[in-house]
Amino acid sequence: MSVGSVSKGCFVFKPSPKKRKVSQKTADYFREGNSDSEDSELRFATCQSLWKHVKLETEQIEEDLNTQLFDNLVSFLRRSHSEFQEKTAEWNCRMKSREIPTAALVLGVNVTDHDLTFRSLSEVLQNRVTPYVALLQAKDCPGIKNLMQKLLGQLMNCYVDVDSSEEDDYVQTSQNRIRCSMTSLITWYESVTKKTDFETPSKKRTSSRHWQSPPVVVIFKDMESFTTKVLQDFIVISSQHIRELPLVLIFGIATSPMIIHSLLPHSVSSLLCIELFQSLSCKEHLSTIIDKVLLTTQFPLKLSEKVLQVLINIFLYHDFSVQNFIKGFQLCIVEHFYTQPLSVLCCHQGELKTRINSLSHNQCENIRRLPSFRRYVENQPSEKQIALLTTDSFLKETVQRLLEDLNVYHENYFPVLRCLHVFTSSLPKYPLGKQIRELHCACLENRVWETEEYESFLQLARMLNKCDLVTMLQKCVEILMSSPGKEFDKTVEKLKEFLTQFQKLEAEACQERDESVSSQKELQKKTDLYHLQKTLLELKESRRSKKLTKFEMLRFEVVDYIDSVVRNYLVPADHKTLHEIVYFNTASVLREHLNAAPRVALHTALNNPYSYLKDDRRKERRSTQFGAGVNIHFSGLSLIIAYGI
């Protein structure tokens, strides 16, 4: 197929269905592009298993974080529904009879996370409150007619009878034959609720988890994006039928609750009985994800300081999206298992021994080429060096021991990191960062005790008062006692000993206070001038000497001991042997995939189309020159010729 001239336009060549290639297995991609394709299927299976566990853990965390918010919303619906069911004729109720119960749900600016939150909320409401939940988006509702059509369509499709023979009554009714109006919605709701009331208990559609005459919940996912006229018309129409239809509105708000009054005039907003709900901050959400996923030994794969910093910077300076952060972590998992042949050893301890014993000679050579392993070999005696470089069996034994040591390092690293964060997060100006992720990055980057920020931390820690110091030590004891590390028994005993000494100092201080009061009383008694002058000179001399008190000496001892623990356990990961197996540290690849750079991507696509097309024909690039240094690649597309000219 030929193209006459690039000036005629853009050409699209659709492949023939007969010549279309059969799609490869996903595991096959682990073989392509790598000179070492051993254990590619095992690496792929390990990658899939790891991501599955990470995904389950993050979903559980998100569910736990949203539990309180969803419980509050369910309570709000319960109160609103009880008022509708009572149908009292009091004057106050008549005054509020046209008000629609409305929940203003402020979710924050991380709009990409809202879909998951609303899906979870919809599932909770359908399981615990009502089967009639509709999710509306502004792009689907440009007018009131479209909104009503979308609303009726979702609500009628949610009705599913237990008895399949009775489904045709309402579910199979064509939506085109139903007039999309509030009257149609009320008629449908009354018929559905009457039908369920008259059914026998064995054939009831609504189970015991649903309320009697359940409310109709309408969720506006992106309230700011709806046009003012659509919202006004829907609220005014709904308020006129609120006595016949138990309607509840939920507004998803990304900015501020004041947007309600900006979009709606007072005459319309007065028809809403609004209650405000605030979701957890996206920064707090991210901190929880990092704390429970990245700063644990639960998952074998770890992120280096630069990679973690790239993900955090994208979160803080681009989108505030926790879901995008998790997707970035997923990309790190895939890239690590795809590009690192030795990632087959990045597994749980129970599988490690079997996988090490099954290593081939080529994989043993890959281990010998690792920079950290080279440094380890250089520090060994000559006999051991020869054995490590020539004997595979001895190498496997050493690798198993080194990876077990690396696992012990992580078991000790994270609890001590949390203990250090207890101290640093309580100091003024936060010399090592307010969040634990900042402290973690500082410890991964280099020896944290060699930095100026750490020296500042020690100076401030030596000025802590007794109450704060005791509280911090108690928290550290709790952290170390609950950690999986087996080397903290002596550390815990030492910290408890410090706490006991502080208690003794408190008792001694009370006694000294009583003695000072008695001495002051002695001075107040009548005495001669010589003895009075002698006593005052002794007091002046004792103050001038500025001798450290027992509390100050103990405080210095505590800070020095914490410093020794930090130096012992918070060694940077890249100083540990075989860290390349479990740490993903290619930040440039991650930045290339996640940081948008259209100009660079376009330049790469035009100069080297193979980098994106992955077409072997693009590898052979015949070129000729026109003028001074202008290259034209005839094997490329016509657009590339134009770019070269």
Side-chain angles (χ1 to χ4, degrees):
M1 190 176 293
S2 61
V3 178
S5 172
V6 294
S7 62
K8 292 184 179 180
C10 180
F11 308 97
V12 178
F13 303 111
K14 293 184 178 180
S16 174
K18 297 180 180 179
K19 298 181 180 179
R20 194 169 293 168
K21 294 182 179 180
V22 180
S23 60
Q24 295 175 308
K25 292 182 179 179
T26 313
D28 294 339
Y29 288 104
F30 273 66
R31 294 195 188 97
E32 295 183 355
N34 289 310
S35 57
D36 191 346
S37 61
E38 286 189 67
D39 293 329
S40 59
E41 293 184 2
L42 181 58
R43 279 191 284 138
F44 175 72
T46 308
C47 174
Q48 291 289 85
S49 175
L50 176 59
W51 167 240
K52 181 180 178 181
H53 287 101
V54 170
K55 186 179 179 182
L56 290 174
E57 181 68 19
T58 54
E59 289 175 351
Q60 184 62 45
I61 292 171
E62 290 161 1
E63 183 179 341
D64 295 341
L65 292 176
N66 290 326
T67 298
Q68 185 63 41
L69 175 65
F70 292 167
D71 289 344
N72 293 338
L73 284 169
V74 170
S75 301
F76 168 74
L77 290 172
R78 183 178 287 109
R79 293 196 304 272
S80 305
H81 189 252
S82 62
E83 292 176 2
F84 171 80
Q85 278 192 319
E86 290 172 2
K87 295 183 184 291
T88 56
E90 296 180 4
W91 184 80
N92 289 335
C93 292
R94 285 202 304 270
M95 289 294 293
K96 294 183 179 180
S97 61
R98 293 185 61 192
E99 289 187 355
I100 306 173
T102 305
L105 181 56
V106 181
L107 296 174
V109 295
N110 51 328
V111 181
T112 50
D113 296 340
H114 293 183
D115 285 338
L116 180 62
T117 303
F118 282 122
R119 283 201 302 269
S120 302
L121 175 60
S122 178
E123 292 175 2
V124 169
L125 296 180
Q126 289 176 342
N127 291 330
R128 297 170 57 182
V129 180
T130 173
Y132 311 122
V133 180
L135 287 164
L136 301 180
Q137 282 186 290
K139 64 180 182 179
D140 301 326
C141 308
I144 185 64
K145 183 178 179 181
N146 306 97
L147 188 148
M148 293 303 300
Q149 185 177 5
K150 201 76 178 176
L151 176 62
L152 267 68
Q154 290 191 30
L155 292 176
M156 291 183 180
N157 288 336
C158 75
Y159 176 85
V160 180
D161 204 329
V162 175
D163 189 355
S164 60
S165 62
E166 297 176 0
E167 283 186 3
D168 297 333
D169 293 344
Y170 283 91
V171 180
Q172 301 299 332
T173 304
S174 174
Q175 189 178 332
N176 295 329
R177 285 182 281 165
I178 297 176
R179 185 181 178 186
C180 296
S181 64
M182 190 61 69
T183 306
S184 304
L185 180 59
I186 294 171
T187 304
W188 169 82
Y189 180 80
E190 290 177 350
S191 61
V192 170
T193 51
K194 285 180 181 178
K195 182 177 179 181
T196 56
D197 290 340
F198 286 110
E199 281 178 343
T200 58
S202 60
K203 287 189 176 183
K204 277 195 175 182
R205 175 190 55 81
T206 55
S207 63
S208 58
R209 68 180 185 271
H210 292 148
W211 301 344
Q212 185 180 2
S213 300
V216 176
V217 180
V218 182
I219 301 175
F220 294 84
K221 296 173 67 173
D222 46 351
M223 193 244 184
E224 290 99 334
S225 301
F226 279 85
T227 59
T228 303
K229 189 176 187 310
V230 171
L231 288 173
Q232 287 186 24
D233 293 346
F234 180 74
I235 292 170
V236 171
I237 295 171
S238 301
S239 66
Q240 296 172 355
H241 300 86
I242 192 62
R243 283 194 159 189
E244 296 112 339
L245 183 68
L247 188 67
V248 179
L249 305 181
I250 297 179
F251 290 153
I253 300 173
T255 53
S256 169
M258 294 303 296
I259 193 66
I260 298 176
H261 303 287
S262 301
L263 289 175
L264 304 175
H266 177 71
S267 58
V268 178
S269 61
S270 61
L271 300 176
L272 303 175
C273 181
I274 303 174
E275 188 166 335
L276 182 64
F277 297 88
Q278 179 75 50
S279 68
L280 188 69
S281 167
C282 54
K283 290 185 179 181
E284 296 176 8
H285 193 168
L286 177 69
S287 299
T288 307
I289 292 290
I290 292 177
D291 186 53
K292 295 188 176 181
V293 176
L294 299 183
L295 302 184
T296 62
T297 57
Q298 184 178 358
F299 305 107
L301 180 66
K302 304 294 186 291
L303 301 182
S304 68
E305 180 269 335
K306 291 182 179 179
V307 171
L308 182 58
Q309 202 62 55
V310 168
L311 292 177
I312 292 174
N313 288 341
I314 291 174
F315 173 85
L316 293 176
Y317 301 113
H318 286 266
D319 52 13
F320 287 103
S321 173
V322 178
Q323 293 304 312
N324 287 348
F325 181 89
I326 296 172
K327 289 178 181 177
F329 183 47
Q330 181 186 10
L331 177 60
C332 295
I333 295 174
V334 174
E335 281 290 334
H336 182 70
F337 282 93
Y338 176 70
T339 58
Q340 175 57 267
L342 294 173
S343 60
V344 68
L345 301 179
C346 184
C347 59
H348 294 286
Q349 291 297 304
E351 305 173 357
L352 186 60
K353 185 176 181 180
T354 305
R355 296 194 179 190
I356 290 176
N357 291 332
S358 62
L359 289 176
S360 65
H361 176 71
N362 290 335
Q363 289 171 319
C364 291
E365 289 298 321
N366 288 334
I367 293 175
R368 294 184 177 107
R369 283 191 287 266
L370 291 176
S372 63
F373 188 77
R374 286 183 178 181
R375 292 196 300 266
Y376 173 79
V377 172
E378 289 172 358
N379 295 326
Q380 302 303 313
S382 58
E383 295 179 358
K384 196 173 181 180
Q385 287 182 2
I386 296 172
L388 287 172
L389 297 176
T390 58
T391 309
D392 289 349
S393 59
F394 183 73
L395 174 70
K396 292 177 182 179
E397 294 176 2
T398 306
V399 166
Q400 182 176 348
R401 180 174 53 81
L402 291 174
L403 288 177
E404 289 174 354
D405 292 343
L406 190 59
N407 183 62
V408 172
Y409 159 76
H410 288 131
E411 289 179 351
N412 297 331
Y413 173 88
F414 294 120
V416 174
L417 181 74
R418 288 186 169 86
C419 290
L420 180 59
H421 180 249
V422 168
F423 280 85
T424 58
S425 61
S426 303
L427 297 176
K429 297 184 180 180
Y430 310 107
L432 287 171
K434 185 178 181 180
Q435 302 292 338
I436 193 171
R437 62 173 181 263
E438 299 171 307
L439 179 61
H440 177 54
C441 289
C443 293
L444 289 179
E445 186 177 6
N446 48 35
R447 293 183 176 92
V448 68
W449 55 86
E450 296 178 354
T451 61
E452 295 180 1
E453 292 80 6
Y454 187 81
E455 290 297 327
S456 176
F457 150 70
L458 291 178
Q459 292 176 3
L460 293 171
R462 292 189 177 103
M463 293 186 287
L464 287 170
N465 60 56
K466 183 177 72 66
C467 183
D468 292 342
L469 196 56
V470 169
T471 303
M472 293 175 186
L473 289 176
Q474 289 173 345
K475 290 181 180 178
C476 291
V477 170
E478 294 175 1
I479 291 171
L480 296 179
M481 290 183 67
S482 61
S483 68
K486 301 177 182 179
E487 301 180 7
F488 294 131
D489 294 339
K490 293 182 179 179
T491 306
V492 171
E493 289 179 5
K494 188 66 175 177
L495 295 181
K496 288 183 177 179
E497 182 182 337
F498 286 138
L499 291 172
T500 305
Q501 292 180 16
F502 278 117
Q503 292 177 354
K504 290 180 180 179
L505 283 178
E506 182 68 24
E508 293 177 2
C510 293
Q511 185 177 357
E512 290 177 359
R513 205 176 299 121
D514 296 337
E515 293 176 355
S516 64
V517 171
S518 61
S519 63
Q520 288 178 3
K521 289 181 179 179
E522 288 292 332
L523 287 173
Q524 291 174 0
K525 292 180 180 179
K526 290 184 179 180
T527 183
D528 58 353
L529 184 61
Y530 172 74
H531 288 93
L532 179 61
Q533 187 178 9
K534 182 180 179 182
T535 306
L536 292 175
L537 287 173
E538 289 176 354
L539 289 172
K540 183 179 179 181
E541 190 67 26
S542 63
R543 290 175 182 173
R544 187 179 295 175
S545 62
K546 293 184 180 180
K547 187 178 180 180
L548 291 176
T549 63
K550 292 182 179 180
F551 165 71
E552 290 173 339
M553 294 173 64
L554 182 58
R555 181 174 59 187
F556 272 69
E557 188 179 350
V558 169
V559 174
D560 290 342
Y561 183 75
I562 295 297
D563 179 40
S564 66
V565 172
V566 168
R567 292 171 183 267
N568 190 22
Y569 292 107
L570 294 189
V571 179
D574 56 6
H575 287 60
K576 308 300 290 186
T577 309
L578 301 183
H579 69 89
E580 297 94 341
I581 294 177
V582 296
Y583 274 85
F584 176 71
N585 53 14
T586 316
S588 59
V589 175
L590 191 66
R591 198 179 292 110
E592 179 183 347
H593 284 291
L594 298 181
N595 274 0
R599 187 173 182 178
V600 176
L602 182 61
H603 184 274
T604 304
L606 293 173
N607 276 288
N608 183 18
Y610 175 76
S611 61
Y612 293 107
L613 298 178
K614 303 301 181 186
D615 187 357
D616 293 335
R617 292 175 297 176
R618 303 288 177 233
K619 282 186 176 181
E620 300 176 1
R621 301 173 61 183
R622 292 172 297 145
S623 63
T624 185
Q625 290 193 351
F626 289 84
V630 179
N631 293 331
I632 300 179
H633 307 291
F634 288 108
S635 63
L637 297 174
S638 183
L639 184 61
I640 301 171
I641 299 176
Y643 180 71
I645 295 175

